[in-house]
Amino acid sequence: KEKVEITKAQRALMKVIVDAYNRHKIPQDVAKKLLQDQYSAEENFLLLTEMATSQVQVLVEFTKNIPGFLSLNHEDQIALLKGSAVEAMFLRSAQVFSQKMPNGHTEVLEERIRKSGISEEFMTPMFNFYKSIGELHMIEEEQALLTAITILTPDRPFVKDQQAVERLQEPMLEVLRKLCVLQHPQEPQYFARLLGRLTELRTLNHYHAEMLTSWRMNDHKFTPLLCEIWDVQ
Ligand SMILES: Cc1cc(OCc2c(-c3c(Cl)cncc3Cl)noc2C(C)C)ccc1-c1ccc2c(C(=O)O)cn(C)c2c1
């Protein structure tokens, strides 16, 4: 039986990531807007666009706190953010869903997503993903590390120095592997299940590109920040 122990250095790395993850969240006044009572498809789209824009800002701040990220080549920093934004946002919105947000936000959020001009064919994989994340009952350390690992994916488009990104991602994967063994001793496959979610996330990129196209076809406007990070307009 392998004796798994998280070293002091690994615990320090985990603390930096979790603190950054907890520090950077969508401001409450933005999240609260979900509860306002207009429910038209237009209103829902505008609210979700505001959420997404706020979430991108949160994501950029979180990423800047990942040890070593700011030492990467600047173009690679941009390539990693652009390449991982949708996945990190699906991961965050899935975690928010499964945490059963306070006072019924979850139902309201689901209602707004279902009525924002997203076609049925994208709803199913999206809510299946939300469900599969919910079933994992991740602790916040796992959520924070999984988000950092998603951002530090070396084979994003246009990344020049993939080895430099691998050198940052590998220690995160090792800490997460040990954490999973310690947190879920009765489930040796838990770490593999977490990594399986990252594969599922990649498929959502494809659906999301189609969602953007169909929104744009119906003349929906995005914010400058979303246009920049998602290469639209
Ligand atoms: C819930 C959502 C949706 C969202 O994006 C909304 C969108 C998406 C899309 C879709 Cl629908 C689902 N998943 C990922 C994408 Cl990226 N694709 O396009 C859009 C807009 C532009 C219409 C962005 C962000 C949040 C979000 C994130 C965190 C929190 C949070 C907390 O951290 O405490 C509290 N609340 C209410 C949150 C809401």
Side-chain angles (χ1 to χ4, degrees):
K1 191 94 177 76
E2 181 206 7
K3 176 84 187 73
V4 166
E5 192 187 338
I6 294 182
T7 68
K8 263 174 71 70
Q10 289 177 321
R11 200 165 295 285
L13 173 62
M14 193 157 59
K15 184 170 172 7
V16 167
I17 299 295
V18 172
D19 289 352
Y21 188 76
N22 286 331
R23 213 173 29 256
H24 301 303
K25 288 229 165 105
I26 278 192
Q28 275 316 308
D29 57 311
V30 175
K32 270 205 185 59
K33 287 189 175 178
L34 277 173
L35 296 175
Q36 71 188 23
D37 48 7
Q38 287 95 332
Y39 268 88
S40 71
E42 262 317 298
E43 186 58 35
N44 292 339
F45 177 80
L46 285 175
L47 267 178
L48 288 172
T49 299
E50 191 172 346
M51 297 279 144
T53 305
S54 178
Q55 183 64 19
V56 168
Q57 290 160 338
V58 162
L59 201 59
V60 170
E61 288 316 305
F62 169 71
T63 305
K64 284 158 66 176
N65 286 272
I66 297 175
F69 182 82
L70 293 176
S71 312
L72 293 171
N73 167 295
H74 280 209
E75 281 84 20
D76 285 354
Q77 292 179 28
I78 302 298
L80 290 176
L81 272 169
K82 286 169 71 115
S84 66
V86 170
E87 291 178 22
M89 288 164 78
F90 269 110
L91 199 49
R92 185 63 195 148
S93 52
Q95 286 155 355
V96 160
F97 251 85
S98 53
Q99 265 156 1
K100 293 277 164 259
M101 280 181 294
N103 42 55
H105 275 215
T106 309
E107 287 73 21
V108 164
L109 185 54
E110 172 156 1
E111 178 68 16
R112 292 197 187 276
I113 289 180
R114 288 194 183 280
K115 297 217 172 46
S116 60
I118 299 171
S119 81
E120 205 43 47
E121 69 182 290
F122 309 136
M123 280 306 168
T124 313
M126 187 191 303
F127 283 97
N128 286 346
F129 178 71
Y130 285 174
K131 192 164 164 291
S132 69
I133 288 289
E135 284 160 359
L136 288 168
H137 303 296
M138 280 191 268
I139 59 173
E140 67 178 6
E141 285 81 355
E142 290 163 345
Q143 292 182 18
L145 284 166
L146 204 62
T147 304
I149 287 162
T150 301
I151 295 163
L152 294 171
T153 299
D155 62 337
R156 296 294 186 199
F158 314 115
V159 171
K160 293 193 288 285
D161 188 353
Q162 293 199 11
Q163 284 73 20
V165 183
E166 273 163 26
R167 282 195 294 275
L168 296 183
Q169 189 193 47
E170 267 151 22
M172 305 269 179
L173 282 163
E174 181 53 13
V175 179
L176 182 59
R177 186 188 67 78
K178 287 186 174 179
L179 190 66
C180 290
V181 169
L182 294 171
Q183 282 292 329
H184 309 269
Q186 82 291 352
E187 196 190 347
Q189 290 315 313
Y190 185 82
F191 178 58
R193 278 179 67 196
L194 278 194
L195 297 188
R197 298 285 73 81
L198 297 187
T199 308
E200 191 179 351
L201 259 181
R202 285 193 178 225
T203 65
L204 291 175
N205 266 318
H206 162 74
Y207 288 117
H208 193 263
E210 310 250 323
M211 279 159 61
L212 288 182
T213 306
S214 72
W215 272 320
R216 286 171 62 211
M217 236 106 86
N218 303 323
D219 206 23
H220 281 87
K221 293 272 174 284
F222 299 101
T223 58
L225 181 59
L226 292 180
C227 291
E228 198 178 328
I229 201 133
W230 287 341
D231 282 333
V232 288
Q233 247 124 321

